[in-house]
Amino acid sequence: LTVWMTRQILRPAEELERSPNDMEQMNESAGEESLRDALTGLGNHRAFQEELDRELEWYQRYQVPVALLLIDLDDLKLVNDSKGHAAGDELLRDMGRLVREVARYADRAFRIGGDEFAVLMPHTDAEGAVQVANRLLERALQGRDGRPIPFSGGISACPQYATTRTQLYAQAEA
């Protein structure tokens, strides 16, 4: 009886001891999920803004260049209207997969809007970004099921063409 009573007292104590660790892990997991786009698995707009700020800070402090590739899916509205939103979502997932496959290890990929994607490329100039964009174009032309995935893209680089968030984004958007 004494052993049973001791176990009954110790079991809740052990659970309480584990509880802060579990809560910390759950909090970390929720924080990571809040920065991820649920449809594509890429970083979301908030994650993009935070990473862009970090990269520009690295440039200001250590002169580390960074390039930005903005991607806009063409005809997503047409796909949604003609084939339904499920087909549009599949197109977004396919583009997310292509971006993830083409991005280099150090690059960070994001879905920043309805049909917009971004790739931040630290330690990269505009020429390096063009190479990544060309690889993406080659893969997108192969497409899925033999149909290409049409997109438009723009590139900017810090410090080559811009040194602020606004300049970098506007240059790539143009």
Side-chain angles (χ1 to χ4, degrees), residues 48-157:
F48 169 70
Q49 296 297 331
E50 290 177 9
E51 186 66 24
L52 180 58
D53 286 343
R54 269 191 297 277
E55 294 298 334
L56 290 173
E57 184 178 319
W58 271 81
Y59 169 70
Q60 296 297 328
R61 284 180 153 189
Y62 308 110
Q63 305 304 304
V64 174
V66 62
L68 170 63
L69 167 62
L70 290 181
I71 301 158
D72 211 352
L73 270 180
D74 298 335
D75 303 328
L76 180 63
K77 182 176 176 4
L78 180 66
V79 170
N80 281 337
D81 291 346
S82 64
K83 297 180 180 177
H85 287 275
D89 288 352
E90 188 59 34
L91 181 61
L92 288 167
R93 279 191 288 274
D94 287 344
M95 187 57 154
R97 256 189 306 277
L98 285 180
V99 169
R100 195 172 27 257
E101 290 170 2
V102 167
R104 301 164 306 174
Y105 180 75
D107 298 343
R108 299 291 179 252
F110 308 89
R111 178 174 171 223
I112 59 174
D115 63 351
E116 297 175 317
F117 295 82
V119 181
L120 282 170
M121 297 169 263
H123 302 280
T124 305
D125 61 7
E127 297 304 317
V130 167
Q131 291 174 2
V132 172
N134 283 334
R135 282 198 312 268
L136 181 61
L137 179 60
E138 287 175 25
R139 297 290 306 277
L141 286 173
Q142 295 169 4
R144 60 184 179 118
D145 302 329
R147 291 187 309 250
I149 300 174
F151 72 92
S152 305
I155 292 172
S156 187

